Amino acid sequence: MRKRKTIALLLSAFSILIVSAFIDRFDAVADISTVKATGTLTSIEDDGRVIIDEKGYEVDPSVMVINRKGKIVSLRSLSLPATVRFEYTYAKTGFIIVMIEEVKSKEVKNKRSPR
């Protein structure tokens, strides 16, 4: 009977340590903030970088690219120049884009001519 109590006590202590380790890990992930911005994507470089509003950004290998129809597509399938919403993070190597969404550019509505 004493062994069972000891084992139960050790398992509960071990469980508390595991849970606290996961909580610390999630806090560390939450500290990596993403920045949301909009701009005009004008170029996709051969090295995988993109140019948005004359600034160069690296692209994360797992980047999510969403076209105007809301479908996930490859980065190279976007028609350039494209108005985009994007999210990026900062790393030691520079800014890294993690999400790009193509949006409809603000089109000038044609006014009807008076008759």
Side-chain angles (χ1 to χ4, degrees):
M1 192 62 124
R2 187 163 172 94
K3 283 185 179 181
R4 286 186 184 174
K5 287 183 181 179
T6 305
I7 290 173
L9 181 63
L10 288 174
L11 284 175
S12 60
F14 185 70
S15 298
I16 290 171
L17 289 174
I18 295 291
V19 169
S20 66
F22 278 119
I23 290 172
D24 288 342
R25 172 68 178 133
F26 289 133
D27 285 344
V29 171
D31 289 343
I32 301 172
S33 62
T34 58
V35 179
K36 297 179 182 181
T38 59
T40 302
L41 173 64
T42 54
S43 175
I44 302 169
E45 304 296 318
D46 290 333
D47 63 357
R49 295 175 56 111
V50 295
I51 307 298
I52 300 176
D53 292 339
E54 300 179 5
K55 296 178 186 172
Y57 297 90
E58 290 184 37
V59 178
D60 189 88
S62 63
V63 68
M64 181 184 300
V65 181
I66 303 170
N67 68 6
R68 288 182 190 179
K69 297 177 182 177
K71 296 183 179 181
I72 297 175
V73 296
S74 70
L75 182 60
R76 298 217 181 258
S77 69
L78 297 178
S79 299
L80 300 180
T83 303
V84 294
R85 238 183 260 134
F86 61 103
E87 294 180 12
Y88 63 93
T89 61
Y90 181 74
K92 292 178 184 177
T93 58
F95 297 110
I96 300 176
I97 293 182
V98 294
M99 192 277 299
I100 297 177
E101 180 181 5
E102 183 180 20
V103 294
K104 294 179 183 178
S105 59
K106 295 179 181 178
E107 299 175 0
V108 177
K109 295 183 179 180
N110 293 333
K111 294 183 180 180
R112 290 187 178 185
S113 59
R115 292 187 185 203

